[in-house]
Amino acid sequence: MARGRPKDPERDARAAAFANTLAEVLHGFSLTHAELARLTGVRTVSVDSWTRLSNPNLPGPENL
């Protein structure tokens, strides 16, 4: 549960699906988190949080 929000299983499922899909896309395109951050104009830590939202074991830049 993030920042005191009430538990929302539907939101959690959507977030998990997004995190997994993004991790797969990054891996498929051989993009690191830093490269995606540079291309989209966001901080690397943001991309990190998107792909690790539901599973801290999803690939990070060191695994791509």
Side-chain angles (χ1 to χ4, degrees):
M1 201 175 339
R3 298 186 183 167
R5 291 185 204 162
K7 185 121 177 92
D8 180 348
E10 190 174 312
R11 185 194 72 229
D12 293 345
R14 286 191 312 267
F18 176 80
N20 287 319
T21 299
L22 181 57
E24 289 173 10
V25 168
L26 289 173
H27 184 73
F29 282 104
S30 298
L31 282 172
T32 66
H33 290 189
E35 290 167 332
L36 180 61
R38 183 182 49 77
L39 291 168
T40 58
V42 300
R43 295 175 57 200
T44 302
V45 69
S46 295
V47 178
D48 291 345
S49 70
W50 299 338
T51 58
R52 291 191 174 99
L53 194 54
S54 66
N55 182 352
N57 297 316
L58 289 172
E62 67 280 357
N63 302 110
L64 294 175

